């Protein structure tokens, strides 16, 4: 028989009664030493409170949609729900006031790593082969992506590394982890970085045309005090809604806040929300790293943020889906909810209690409220995050999965039952190609090498063993979407295809890059040299990538407290709105049309975004072909004189705004009876006489 080593299986639930919220930090022997610093406790409590508040709001919002209730009902219902939560929390803390308290992110080492009766034995050569094979596969994927090789090589290496690493993490010896109390200076550093990201979110302008749906919905709520179930972009609830049903409650919340404040929704979405969500995103990243039991948390946190700030080279890169677009709820899911769900799941794995099971359910509800993508993303997190419990307690693993995935799956069932649809166009075959959406996430060169290597080596580098398993399984789930034909098959079967690129949101790439850098810096002879890790990463990325505020990312610096639209276009849109009558239909180029749609629902744009019209092409009252002809007329497409003139009459356009340089089109309108109403910011607006 060959030499062998013990392989540890997760032990059963410890006998000590533990408060689920705040715990004492412990030594390697598991004895309590100190409670977490008040600043650390306050940060974690703040995140938990926000998640609970948003989860209750999501339930209230869905009840209001079901029973056709407006803001006047939603606000007192939310206040009552929060009051009940507060009462329940106080009663629970009184009940457990005499019990031992331990920290979510600092579990006793003997609880997580001590041998169990079910310990197995694994040949030593197998325990060595696992990491070696994982590194080889990860190298194949990372180098192939960096060298811009065929994506098939990336897929082979990716799936091989994720599968091998997950299997090795599941059967390997759990490392004995020392728990160190989070020093106050580290909490201060996290808060400083969080404030810096909040300020940065206010200083960058980066427009996105998706706002034509999200902010328009919020504006309807702000203006009317009701939650729409029909379209407010093209008319006053005259057509079916483009993204149906409106499961995400975030837009309704923004509109409700604006309605109560008596202002437009745009300032709430673009000015109030970004610093709050940016601040929370840093706290969530920090909390995840602490839950993973990373030793040099400050180095990992700083390195992760450096990566995000300088990863602006690809269209859907993690950096380009950070503070410059965090005013969109789906980015809040990526930056806030994914780390929170992983932290909650890891807490339950370590000590399965009813209160922690409730947290999983609350997290799943809040995720659905942020974005409809949570309907398919959250169950994947739930599956991967509950997997480490399977060997120890299949029943508890099933409960963990059910708790987190219940609300998203129920939302998915409802969505299918009512004929759910998305305002998107999947006609381009390239959108189904992994080589296309994979490059849009990772690009190539050094930045792809760093990101993919950090992801696939997470099963070796993340200190906490259950987190290693979850990290590997999430990477494996993403790798499956890279298989040839998988996205097309998924689209044909359930209608979900190109959107599967968002599976990459589950990878917590910035956290894994931070872990990799912190592990490297641990090899340095002095602890204070750890600052060299983030600094070296910053220098390297500056040489090969673009900062997220670079012009190549369509972002630019702008004075704080601005809307995420071109200021000149905002001025023109306000002029159009002020001089139009309720119900007017405005034909304008996309930038101005989108801006009008996000600022008001009192008037409407003919075509604010072309593919948002596709779902109405078979509706005779919408005049789809005529609208598309008009979009070409004010845009850059080809157009025919007679077709345009007929379309103007059929659609019933009340105002046409053209760019001043489009002189030929202006002259055409003037010949058929249009007269200039006003000029501003490079636009000329004409009305029919």
């Amino acid at each position: 028989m060959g030499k062998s080593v013990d392989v540890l299986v997760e032990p059963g639930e410890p006998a000590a009664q533990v408060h689920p919220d705040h715990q004492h930090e412990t030594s390697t022997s598991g004895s309590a030493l100190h409670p977490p610093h008040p600043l650390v406790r306050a940060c974690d409590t703040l995140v938990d409170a926000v998640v609970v508040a948003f989860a209750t709001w999501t339930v209230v919002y869905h009840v209001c949609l079901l029973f056709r209730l407006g803001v006047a009902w939603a606000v007192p219902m939310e206040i009552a729900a929060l009051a009940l939560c507060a009462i329940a929390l106080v009663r629970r803390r009184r009940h457990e006031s005499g019990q031992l308290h331990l920290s979510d992110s600092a579990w006793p080492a003997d609880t997580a790593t001590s041998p169990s009766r079910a310990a197995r034995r694994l040949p030593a050569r197998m325990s060595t082969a696992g990491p070696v094979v994982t590194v080889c596969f990860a190298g194949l994927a990372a180098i192939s992506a960096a060298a811009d090789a065929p994506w098939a090589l990336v897929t082979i290496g990716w799936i091989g590394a994720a599968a091998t690493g997950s299997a090795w993490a599941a059967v390997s010896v759990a490392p004995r982890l020392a728990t160190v109390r989070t020093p106050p200076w580290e909490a201060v550093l996290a808060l400083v970085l969080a404030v810096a990201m909040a300020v940065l979110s206010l200083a960058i302008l980066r427009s996105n045309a998706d706002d034509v749906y999200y902010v328009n919905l919020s504006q309807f709520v702000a203006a009317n005090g009701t939650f729409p179930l029909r379209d407010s972009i093209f008319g006053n609830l005259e057509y079916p809604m483009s993204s149906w049903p409106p499961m995400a409650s975030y837009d309704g919340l923004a509109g409700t806040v604006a309605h109560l404040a008596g202002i437009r929704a745009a300032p709430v979405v673009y000015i109030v929300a970004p610093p709050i969500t940016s601040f929370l995103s840093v706290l969530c990243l920090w909390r995840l790293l602490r839950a993973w039991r990373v030793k040099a948390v400050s180095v990992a946190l700083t390195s992760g943020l450096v990566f995000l700030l300088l990863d602006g080279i690809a269209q859907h890169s993690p950096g380009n889906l950070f503070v410059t677009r965090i005013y969109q709820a789906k980015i809040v899911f990526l930056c806030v909810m994914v780390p929170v769900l992983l932290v909650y799941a890891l807490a339950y794995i370590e000590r399965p209690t009813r209160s922690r099971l409730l947290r999983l359910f609350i997290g799943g509800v809040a995720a659905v409220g942020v974005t409809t993508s949570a309907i398919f993303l959250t169950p994947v997190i739930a599956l991967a995050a509950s997997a480490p419990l399977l060997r120890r307690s299949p029943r508890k693993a099933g409960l963990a999965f059910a708790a987190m995935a219940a609300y998203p799956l129920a939302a998915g069932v409802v969505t299918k039952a009512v004929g759910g649809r998305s305002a998107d166009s999947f006609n381009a075959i390239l959108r189904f190609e992994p080589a296309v959406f994979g490059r849009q996430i990772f690009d190539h060169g050094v930045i792809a090498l760093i990101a993919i290597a950090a992801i696939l080596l997470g099963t070796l580098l993340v200190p906490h063993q259950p987190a290693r398993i979850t990290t590997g399984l999430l990477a494996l789930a993403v790798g499956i979407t890279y298989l040839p034909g998988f996205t097309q098959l998924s689209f044909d079967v359930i209608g979900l295809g190109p959107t599967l690129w968002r599976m990459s949101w589950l990878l917590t790439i910035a956290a894994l890059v931070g872990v990799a850098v912190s592990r490297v810096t641990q090899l340095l002879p002095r602890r204070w040299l750890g600052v060299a890790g983030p600094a070296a990463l910053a220098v390297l990325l500056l040489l090969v990538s673009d900062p997220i505020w670079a012009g190549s990312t369509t972002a630019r610096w702008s004075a704080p407290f601005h809307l995420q639209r071109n200021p000149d276009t905002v001025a023109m849109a306000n002029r159009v709105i002020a001089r139009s009558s309720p119900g007017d239909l405005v034909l304008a180029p996309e930038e101005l049309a989108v801006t009008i749609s996000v600022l008001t629902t009192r008037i409407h744009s003919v075509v604010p975004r072309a593919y948002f019209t596709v779902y109405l092409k078979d509706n005779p009252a919408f005049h789809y072909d005529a609208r598309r002809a008009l979009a070409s007329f004010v845009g850059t497409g080809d157009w025919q004189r007679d077709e345009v003139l007929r379309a103007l009459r059929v659609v019933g356009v009340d105002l046409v705004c053209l760019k001043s340089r489009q002189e030929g089109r202006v002259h055409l309108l003037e010949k058929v009876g249009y007269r200039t109403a006003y000029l501003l910011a490079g636009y000329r607006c004409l009305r029919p006489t």
Side-chain angles (χ1 to χ4, degrees):
M1 297 295 291
K3 184 180 179 181
S4 62
V5 296
D6 288 337
V7 178
L8 307 183
V9 179
E10 293 287 333
E13 185 174 352
Q17 295 296 317
V18 181
H19 192 287
D21 292 325
H22 302 297
Q23 304 171 335
H24 286 250
E25 305 211 23
T26 59
S27 68
T28 55
S29 63
S31 58
L33 294 179
H34 304 286
H37 190 274
L39 205 53
V40 177
R41 184 182 306 184
C43 291
D44 290 351
T45 301
L46 173 63
V47 172
D48 291 338
V50 170
V51 172
V52 170
F54 192 71
T56 56
W57 166 257
T58 299
V59 175
V60 166
Y61 172 76
H62 290 163
V63 169
C64 289
L65 290 182
L66 182 62
F67 293 101
R68 307 296 194 271
L69 304 176
V71 170
W73 283 88
V75 173
M77 289 168 63
E78 173 65 5
I79 293 173
L82 292 177
L84 291 174
C85 289
I87 293 172
L89 179 62
V90 170
R91 291 183 63 183
R92 191 188 69 185
R93 289 190 172 179
R94 286 178 179 175
H95 176 70
E96 298 173 341
S97 60
Q99 297 176 356
L100 176 66
H101 297 278
L102 297 173
S103 164
D104 273 355
S105 56
W107 297 294
D110 60 346
T111 297
T113 63
S114 60
S116 74
R117 298 174 183 174
R120 296 179 296 166
R121 304 181 70 82
L122 183 71
R125 60 179 177 273
M126 290 181 63
S127 67
T128 304
V132 171
V133 173
T134 300
V135 169
C136 291
F137 273 123
L140 172 63
I143 293 172
S144 298
D148 210 5
W151 195 259
L153 292 176
V154 179
T155 303
I156 293 171
W158 188 295
I159 294 179
T164 305
S166 301
W168 179 83
V171 300
S172 63
V173 176
R176 180 169 287 276
L177 301 175
T179 303
V180 182
R181 186 187 184 200
T182 302
W185 69 263
E186 186 179 280
V188 172
L189 174 63
L191 288 172
V192 168
L193 293 173
V195 171
M197 294 304 103
V199 172
L200 182 62
S201 71
L202 291 172
I204 293 182
L205 189 156
R206 187 175 178 216
S207 301
N208 189 273
D210 285 350
D211 295 349
V212 74
Y213 172 79
Y214 303 115
V215 188
N216 179 271
L217 190 153
S218 298
Q219 177 56 30
F220 184 91
V221 177
N224 299 279
T226 59
F227 304 112
L229 287 172
R230 291 180 66 80
D231 169 73
S232 59
I233 300 173
F234 302 109
N236 187 21
L237 310 183
E238 298 168 22
Y239 306 108
M241 184 174 277
S242 54
S243 292
W244 172 258
M247 279 290 178
S249 65
Y250 184 94
D251 308 308
L253 177 61
T256 298
V257 172
H259 180 78
L260 296 176
I263 60 176
R264 285 175 172 172
V268 175
V269 175
Y270 293 136
I271 299 175
V272 177
I276 296 173
T277 52
S278 297
F279 182 87
L280 291 173
S281 70
V282 177
L283 296 188
C284 292
L285 176 59
W286 177 48
R287 189 174 183 181
L288 178 62
L289 292 169
R290 287 186 286 120
W292 283 354
R293 305 285 285 279
V294 177
K295 287 185 178 180
V297 173
S298 57
V299 173
L301 176 62
T302 307
S303 300
L305 292 176
V306 165
F307 178 79
L308 289 174
L309 293 176
L310 301 180
D311 178 34
I313 195 169
Q315 180 181 352
H316 297 313
S317 67
N320 278 330
L321 299 177
F322 187 40
V323 293
T324 60
R325 279 188 64 184
I326 206 166
Y327 56 86
Q328 292 183 335
K330 55 191 174 185
I331 310 303
V332 177
F333 175 84
L334 164 64
C335 298
V336 175
M337 287 311 306
V338 171
V340 164
L341 292 174
L342 291 174
V343 168
Y344 286 178
L346 200 53
Y348 182 79
I349 287 172
E350 281 295 336
R351 206 177 300 275
T353 63
R354 285 180 295 177
S355 60
R356 293 185 176 189
L357 197 66
L358 178 61
R359 278 191 183 184
L360 294 179
F361 178 76
I362 291 172
V365 176
V368 172
V370 176
T371 175
T372 53
S373 294
I375 291 174
F376 68 91
L377 293 177
T378 304
V380 177
I381 298 178
L383 188 63
S386 61
L389 267 177
L390 281 173
R391 187 171 60 186
R392 179 170 119 198
S393 176
R395 183 182 68 84
K396 290 178 180 177
L399 288 174
F401 171 80
M404 186 187 293
Y407 207 86
L409 290 176
V413 170
V414 171
T415 298
K416 291 295 289 185
V418 300
R421 58 179 170 270
S422 173
D424 206 341
S425 176
F426 300 137
N427 295 327
I429 190 62
L430 290 178
R431 296 197 61 187
F432 292 88
E433 290 295 328
V436 174
F437 60 79
R439 299 293 184 199
Q440 290 177 341
I441 300 168
F442 300 107
D443 199 70
H444 63 280
V446 174
I447 198 147
L449 182 70
I450 293 172
I452 294 178
I455 293 166
L456 299 180
L457 295 179
T459 53
L460 308 180
L461 299 179
V462 173
H464 206 290
Q465 188 187 29
R468 290 181 176 183
I469 299 171
T470 298
T471 298
L473 292 177
L474 289 175
L476 181 61
V478 173
I480 291 173
T481 67
Y482 295 153
L483 291 173
F486 181 84
T487 53
Q488 185 66 62
L489 175 64
S490 176
F491 182 73
D492 294 340
V493 174
I494 61 175
L496 183 66
T499 316
L500 287 174
W501 75 266
R502 293 182 182 175
M503 289 281 287
S504 63
W505 293 0
L506 309 181
L507 297 174
T508 57
I509 299 174
L512 291 172
V513 170
V515 168
V517 174
S518 70
R519 293 296 291 266
V520 171
T521 58
Q522 290 173 30
L523 303 176
L524 299 176
R526 296 287 186 272
R527 287 187 61 184
W528 61 269
L529 291 175
V531 298
L537 180 65
V539 171
L540 179 60
L541 293 181
L542 283 171
L543 294 175
V544 300
S545 183
D546 294 326
I548 60 175
W549 55 81
S552 59
T553 67
T554 70
R556 61 188 176 94
W557 294 108
S558 183
F561 312 117
H562 59 267
L563 304 183
Q564 293 291 342
R565 307 298 305 167
N566 183 296
D568 291 338
T569 307
V570 171
M572 185 63 188
N574 282 326
R575 180 80 173 270
V576 171
I577 294 168
R579 299 188 60 172
S580 297
S581 301
D584 276 0
L585 196 56
V586 180
L587 174 62
E590 182 176 294
E591 184 180 21
L592 178 57
V594 170
T595 305
I596 291 172
S597 294
V598 303
L599 292 180
T600 186
T601 55
R602 193 173 68 93
I603 63 175
H604 308 283
S605 299
V606 174
V607 184
R609 198 171 190 192
Y611 75 66
F612 271 65
T613 64
V614 174
Y615 79 103
L616 290 171
K617 64 181 180 181
D618 297 325
N619 188 323
F622 185 70
H623 305 296
Y624 172 78
D625 292 333
R627 287 180 186 256
R628 294 302 295 266
L630 293 176
S632 297
F633 178 67
V634 297
T636 58
D638 297 330
W639 54 277
Q640 299 293 327
R641 176 182 182 279
D642 293 341
E643 184 181 17
V644 169
L645 296 180
R646 177 183 175 279
L648 288 169
R649 293 192 301 271
V650 168
V651 175
V653 176
D654 299 294
L655 181 72
V656 180
C657 292
L658 292 163
K659 293 183 178 179
S660 298
R661 65 174 181 270
Q662 296 176 311
E663 296 178 356
R665 306 178 197 204
V666 171
H667 293 328
L668 170 62
L669 294 180
E670 289 177 337
K671 288 180 180 179
V672 296
Y674 281 74
R675 295 292 179 267
T676 299
Y678 39 84
L679 300 168
L680 184 67
Y683 288 94
R684 179 187 295 268
C685 291
L686 304 95
R687 287 188 181 277
T689 56

